[in-house]
Amino acid sequence: VWRSRWLAILQQYISSEMTFIELEQRLASGGADLSKYGVDGAKTIQDLLAEIRSGFSACVLCDDGKTRRILCTVRIRLSVQHGHHSQILSETEEGRWFETTDQIVKLPLDKMRCGGLEQALEKLWLSSVGLSAEFVNEHFERGVDLVYEEEKKTASYPNLDCVYIVHEIPYWVRDPTAPCCHALGLPEGRSFRVSEGHANGGCKIHVLAWLTLASNPIHQQAKDLRTWLEKSGLDM
């Protein structure tokens, strides 16, 4: 059975009672530059507070003097087989992430509450890829869940170390030639876009692409994809 000290800490410190002043002090004590919050696309302290109060994350001042944001995430790894090589469905990062992490593509992902995997997974499929749970169950084969941890910076909250407890769920397309898969850019492996509507009336565009696990490195394919997106005038 998989065990994580960070998961135990997350469960211990999740609180709906944290105040704005408490969070601000905790961030400042851990060395965060609060002047950068809410600037140039970064989220605000109030955004982080809402996330914490909703049970998605905890913000903990650790023994090494760093403040860390700890949260669970769910990722989809959807693969399709073409002869002797495979392709993985990837999503382009938002522009501000290029400058912070040099990360151009990612697997479709979203944050989740502890113990809320299936609900978060269903929401992720619909919001990021535009697919219902019924479609996924009928046309994709689900593999064994992989759970691991990542610690890295985030563009959303400047200078804040984040620990991600990742639940990566692998899937395989059963029949990429099926007509219902054409909207996913299959079987050719074309890029496509999904529009996600927000409650406030806004809209987010997810740009998704099939990257090949072959001789051409994923990193180079990602650079090629970024060039294509910029030439196409797409907002990332």
Side-chain angles (χ1 to χ4, degrees):
V1 178
W2 185 82
R3 291 285 186 268
S4 164
R5 76 180 184 94
W6 288 116
L7 180 58
I9 293 173
L10 172 61
Q11 293 170 332
Q12 178 183 351
Y13 282 92
I14 281 181
S15 171
S16 60
E17 306 298 327
M18 176 172 279
T19 67
F20 182 90
I21 293 177
E22 288 173 339
L23 177 57
E24 187 177 46
Q25 292 175 342
R26 188 167 298 179
L27 291 170
S29 298
D33 184 354
L34 302 185
S35 67
K36 295 183 178 180
Y37 282 55
V39 179
D40 296 331
K43 293 186 177 181
T44 65
I45 299 176
Q46 192 63 48
D47 290 328
L48 181 55
L49 182 63
E51 179 185 275
I52 293 170
R53 286 178 171 176
S54 298
F56 281 105
S57 68
C59 197
V60 180
L61 184 59
C62 300
D63 293 339
D64 60 2
K66 291 184 178 180
T67 297
R68 288 179 173 84
R69 169 178 170 247
I70 309 170
L71 69 160
C72 293
T73 62
V74 56
R75 286 179 181 167
I76 294 169
R77 177 179 287 271
L78 178 61
S79 305
V80 62
Q81 191 71 28
H82 294 288
H84 297 293
H85 68 270
S86 298
Q87 289 183 308
I88 303 293
L89 186 65
S90 302
E91 181 179 358
T92 61
E93 276 287 15
E94 298 177 13
R96 58 195 172 88
W97 277 81
F98 297 153
E99 300 175 0
T100 303
T101 65
D102 196 32
Q103 183 173 331
I104 300 172
V105 293
K106 63 182 179 182
L107 297 179
L109 63 89
D110 200 1
K111 59 189 176 185
M112 57 174 269
R113 293 184 176 92
C114 293
L117 175 60
E118 297 305 321
Q119 182 181 6
L121 190 57
E122 183 174 335
K123 175 179 176 291
L124 176 58
W125 274 116
L126 188 60
S127 62
S128 293
V129 194
L131 300 178
S132 67
E134 292 76 18
F135 184 98
V136 171
N137 292 335
E138 181 177 354
H139 298 287
F140 303 154
E141 186 75 25
R142 180 170 173 172
V144 178
D145 301 359
L146 178 63
V147 184
Y148 54 93
E149 297 170 354
E150 292 180 345
E151 182 170 353
K152 57 186 179 181
K153 301 289 186 180
T154 171
S156 299
Y157 300 106
N159 297 328
L160 180 60
D161 290 320
C162 294
V163 177
Y164 298 95
I165 303 166
V166 182
H167 296 69
E168 186 175 304
I169 318 299
Y171 290 86
W172 291 268
V173 180
R174 289 194 173 105
D175 181 8
T177 63
C180 59
C181 292
H182 291 175
L184 302 178
L186 296 173
E188 298 88 353
R190 292 178 286 103
S191 301
F192 62 98
R193 291 187 288 175
V194 173
S195 176
E196 177 190 359
H198 292 169
N200 61 6
C203 180
K204 178 179 179 180
I205 302 298
H206 298 266
V207 181
L208 298 115
W210 294 96
L211 300 186
T212 303
L213 296 176
S215 56
N216 188 18
I218 288 289
H219 186 66
Q220 182 59 49
Q221 294 179 71
K223 286 185 176 179
D224 295 342
L225 175 62
R226 179 180 178 182
T227 300
W228 174 80
L229 288 167
E230 290 173 344
K231 287 182 178 179
S232 302
L234 295 177
D235 183 8
M236 298 174 288

